[in-house]
Amino acid sequence: MFDYQSCLKWPAGAFFSLTLLTPLAMAQSPSAEPQPQTTTPGGTSVQTADQRITELSHQVEELTKLVHQLQAQMSREAPVLSGTVPSTTVPAPGAVAPSTAGAAPASAVAESPKVAADLLRGMTINAMLDGYYEYNTNASVGRVNNLRAYDVSSNSFSLNQADIVVESAPDLTIGKRAGMRLDLQYGQATATLQGNSANELKPDVYRAIFQAYGTYVFPVGKGLTVDFGKWASSLGIEGNYTKDQLNYSRSFWFDYLPFYHMGVRAKYALTDQLAINAWITNGTQQTEEFNNFKDQLYGFVLTPTPAVTWTFNYYQGQEHPDVVYLQSPGSGQQNLPNQQGTFILPITNPPDGKLQIIDSYVTWQVSKAITFAAEVDYVQQRLYSHSTPLHVTGGALYGGYQLTPKVALAARVEYVADFGGLFSGTTQYLKEGTLTLDYRPAEDFLMRGEFRRDQSNQHYFIGSSLGVFEASQPTIGLGLTWWFGQKEGAW
């Protein structure tokens, strides 16, 4: 929000009223100091009245000049800053009004500044840098941390992500219904999000674009918010930006549940406490569609008190492609359709089994210093509609305590039952516990020390020798996060 002198925010009518009323008020005010009077031989005070009229005339002249100066300044700045153009313009004394012959209509003249103003009002440009060093006590081959979303490397100084976030959000308090958001992301996290060609058939095209969507709030009830584009998934309590999480590393559930979607979503507030959500998307981790099925989400967000928020989501999709993209056709495939140099080969009898996700999480801000949260999830997927389903179930518990304005503690425990290896490729029971110590030496700089232990009922985690696997994976790490910009709250 820009900070202008308060006088620039007054409407032009207020200056006009000030010009006319101030002399009158000064003349009639009973509290004004009496001026010296000069009497004529007849005992009248004609000369004194002349003096007062002269004084008032000078004051009116000075105020009129001030009004013209302020109106001239407003005519230069107001169209750019507030998106409005004064309906009338008072010419300066002695000025000749410009000819309007052949001029564009006032609405056309105002349209371009208004568009620029709507885009710039409330816009923030933000940046974040997130890096870490982590050590896996298994001394794993290739310095690999299994089943980690972002802290994927051991014994390596790593750049998790570098982000640029540009946002111009709607704001109904100033009559702004349209908005947009763009998140550009680089680093290891981009490979986690969009490095899998099984989900994203052309990952290189969209890899750096984590989010890109436009928003419009329709004037329906309390407001119907509709987004079109690509957005971060709200399935699961954890998100992309480290500064907004209780822990540095992400949970198994964050690694498994969808990262993003492309499509249309709507949110409508039934009351101040209850909002409902509905999505239609290409799929999970699919900027471009690879089958003819459109995934759907239905859910709600309930806020019974300001301290408690409960989110419930039901998601149904079909995550099996019906085509294969080829860089070059083989022999006998010269007539394949192609798009942007990529050849498309249909799959005979493609899988049509559905994915179903039930996801629910609640946060409780017990006090300014204490936070609790819990998440439960159930995921079921079939290869074909008649296939036996595989499923993953479990949940996580979180706790955070702000010791001082600069120091905080957080803990997470979670459980994942992976039946059929839908998540990890192996049927197993996974558990993990994480302890995190935060230190914030500056407002926009966060240091996080973390100890985490992953545990399985199988020998699953990579060991120090090829072909050797461990039942646990302990890691010790330090994460560093910087962020800058005017965006407030969670990103």
Side-chain angles (χ1 to χ4, degrees):
M1 179 181 293
F2 297 97
D3 185 18
Y4 302 105
Q5 296 178 359
S6 60
C7 64
L8 297 181
K9 298 181 181 177
W10 297 348
F15 293 119
F16 185 67
S17 300
L18 179 67
T19 304
L20 296 179
L21 297 177
T22 300
L24 182 59
M26 293 175 62
Q28 296 179 349
S29 173
S31 61
E33 293 186 13
Q35 300 295 324
Q37 296 185 3
T38 304
T39 56
T40 62
T44 63
S45 56
V46 175
Q47 190 174 359
T48 301
D50 289 342
Q51 289 175 348
R52 292 176 63 81
I53 291 172
T54 301
E55 282 184 24
L56 292 174
S57 298
H58 286 313
Q59 292 172 357
V60 168
E61 227 175 69
E62 292 300 321
L63 288 172
T64 302
K65 289 180 182 179
L66 176 61
V67 168
H68 289 313
Q69 290 173 359
L70 291 174
Q71 286 183 327
Q73 189 171 359
M74 287 177 65
S75 67
R76 290 195 302 271
E77 298 186 7
V80 177
L81 302 177
S82 65
T84 59
V85 177
S87 58
T88 59
T89 303
V90 180
V96 179
S99 173
T100 59
S107 59
V109 174
E111 185 63 27
S112 179
K114 184 179 186 305
V115 171
D118 285 344
L119 180 65
L120 294 175
R121 279 189 302 174
M123 174 176 282
T124 63
I125 300 176
N126 314 275
M128 191 183 83
L129 179 64
D130 179 358
Y132 69 93
Y133 175 84
E134 191 161 276
Y135 182 72
N136 186 332
T137 61
N138 288 343
S140 57
V141 175
R143 295 162 297 281
V144 174
N145 294 332
N146 286 111
L147 301 181
R148 299 296 180 89
Y150 288 167
D151 53 327
V152 298
S153 297
S154 172
N155 196 21
S156 173
F157 295 108
S158 301
L159 178 61
N160 180 27
Q161 53 183 297
D163 307 280
I164 298 174
V165 179
V166 181
E167 183 179 40
S168 180
D171 187 350
L172 297 184
T173 62
I174 58 173
K176 180 183 177 185
R177 293 190 173 273
M180 61 156 287
R181 175 162 176 168
L182 173 64
D183 295 36
L184 301 179
Q185 179 174 287
Y186 306 89
Q188 283 184 348
T190 58
T192 299
L193 294 175
Q194 300 196 105
N196 190 345
S197 60
N199 284 327
E200 194 70 82
L201 297 177
K202 291 188 285 187
D204 291 337
V205 177
Y206 306 102
R207 182 162 286 161
I209 305 174
F210 175 53
Q211 293 194 108
Y213 60 86
T215 303
Y216 187 78
V217 182
F218 290 89
V220 178
K222 292 180 176 294
L224 174 64
T225 302
V226 178
D227 298 324
F228 174 84
K230 179 180 180 181
W231 64 82
S233 181
S234 60
L235 291 166
I237 195 171
E238 295 183 359
N240 178 56
Y241 296 106
T242 300
K243 75 177 192 66
D244 300 323
Q245 315 308 310
L246 287 175
N247 308 102
Y248 182 82
S249 68
R250 305 303 193 273
S251 66
F252 290 140
W253 283 109
F254 175 84
D255 193 14
Y256 179 48
L257 293 173
F259 295 124
Y260 63 87
H261 308 270
M262 171 72 194
V264 179
R265 65 178 176 179
K267 180 178 181 179
Y268 181 72
L270 295 173
T271 68
D272 292 337
Q273 291 78 34
L274 179 63
I276 56 176
N277 298 303
W279 305 353
I280 300 177
T281 75
N282 287 337
T284 62
Q285 279 92 261
Q286 295 172 39
T287 309
E288 292 188 19
E289 182 66 279
F290 60 33
N291 61 42
N292 288 322
F293 188 88
K294 290 293 179 284
D295 292 11
Q296 310 109 41
L297 176 140
Y298 306 98
F300 63 81
V301 178
L302 178 64
T303 310
T305 71
V308 177
T309 302
W310 176 32
T311 301
F312 179 86
N313 298 308
Y314 172 75
Y315 187 94
Q316 176 174 274
Q318 181 179 314
E319 311 311 306
H320 308 293
D322 59 10
V323 297
V324 175
Y325 283 15
L326 305 174
Q327 293 303 310
S328 59
S331 58
Q333 297 178 334
Q334 300 303 315
N335 294 323
L336 292 178
N338 67 85
Q339 182 185 72
Q340 297 176 329
T342 301
F343 295 85
I344 300 169
L345 176 64
I347 297 174
T348 304
N349 189 26
D352 61 353
K354 298 297 189 291
L355 166 72
Q356 294 172 313
I357 302 174
I358 298 175
D359 166 61
S360 182
Y361 49 90
V362 61
T363 60
W364 178 25
Q365 192 70 45
V366 181
S367 66
K368 188 175 181 180
I370 301 174
T371 304
F372 290 126
E375 175 181 350
V376 292
D377 295 283
Y378 177 83
V379 182
Q380 175 180 283
Q381 185 165 341
R382 287 179 168 90
L383 182 61
Y384 287 93
S385 58
H386 57 271
S387 301
T388 301
L390 305 177
H391 60 272
V392 181
T393 185
L397 296 174
Y398 300 80
Y401 181 57
Q402 192 75 39
L403 294 171
T404 71
K406 293 188 175 183
V407 180
L409 291 172
R412 176 185 63 219
V413 293
E414 67 173 317
Y415 172 78
V416 178
D418 188 4
F419 298 103
L422 193 57
F423 167 44
S424 63
T426 300
T427 297
Q428 60 179 323
Y429 300 98
L430 292 162
K431 297 177 287 186
E432 67 95 355
T434 302
L435 293 174
T436 306
L437 173 64
D438 285 6
Y439 175 60
R440 182 173 295 191
E443 181 64 26
D444 302 324
F445 175 42
L446 177 62
M447 304 174 66
R448 278 187 164 160
E450 188 167 276
F451 172 76
R452 172 171 170 171
R453 180 184 175 87
D454 303 329
Q455 187 76 35
S456 172
N457 67 330
Q458 304 290 331
H459 284 74
Y460 176 83
F461 300 102
I462 296 175
S464 58
S465 299
L466 195 62
V468 175
F469 297 93
E470 305 289 345
S472 64
Q473 179 178 246
T475 58
I476 302 172
L478 174 67
L480 304 173
T481 306
W482 295 260
W483 64 96
F484 302 94
Q486 294 178 311
K487 182 172 175 55
E488 297 180 357
W491 285 19

